[in-house]
Amino acid sequence: MKQRLIAKITTVLQHVPLVGHLSRQKFIAQFVIGLIKSRNVHFCEVAQHLNDAAKPASDETRIQNFFRDVELDYLVPVQLLVSLLPATGKLRLRLDRTEWDFGRCQVTILLVTVDYGAWHVPLYWELLDNRSGNSNAAQRIAVLEACVALLGRERIGLVLGDREFVGHVWLK
């Protein structure tokens, strides 16, 4: 079952210019399956589900090496995700800001997701380079313009956001 799923994902990746080498395509397929099985994004958790023949510590090192050595165009998987959305009908976008702490470093992300039933699929995000943790109108406009470029204006039916996203300038 797992080998069939890896083969299917690898076949899709051969048509999507994410990485060139077949071994890297297979790794991404294994990594995606590991993400799904672990329901987690922590490398140590994904490594538990990556390769049954290897030690989890070796798989974790393999994951780290991949993301350190390979330069990815993150718009390619986003375009792949968009192609999996229904071809017709209006989409509902959600604008949100999230903060993650990595030790003493605080990372603030402005994120747009697409509602797909009970799922919220990440569509586009930007790291905010500020200390306040808030986004401004220009940053909100930029992420929404990127989403319009990916989806087309006619596909967007509604944009939702928390009360922190008030403002006439960017809403227009």
Side-chain angles (χ1 to χ4, degrees), residues 4 31 37 43-46 53-54 56 62 69-70 77 88 91 106 125 129 132-133 136 171:
R4 257 194 333 236
F31 185 75
K37 283 185 168 184
F43 290 169
C44 61
E45 296 293 329
V46 176
R62 186 175 174 207
D69 298 338
V70 176
T88 59
L91 298 173
Q106 187 177 43
W125 62 90
D129 188 23
S132 69
N136 60 39
L171 283 173

Side-chain angles (χ1 to χ4, degrees), residues 15-33:
H15 300 358
V16 177
L18 187 59
V19 291
H21 296 265
L22 181 61
S23 62
R24 289 184 174 164
Q25 292 170 357
K26 288 181 180 179
F27 169 79
I28 290 174
Q30 289 176 322
F31 185 75
V32 167
I33 292 168

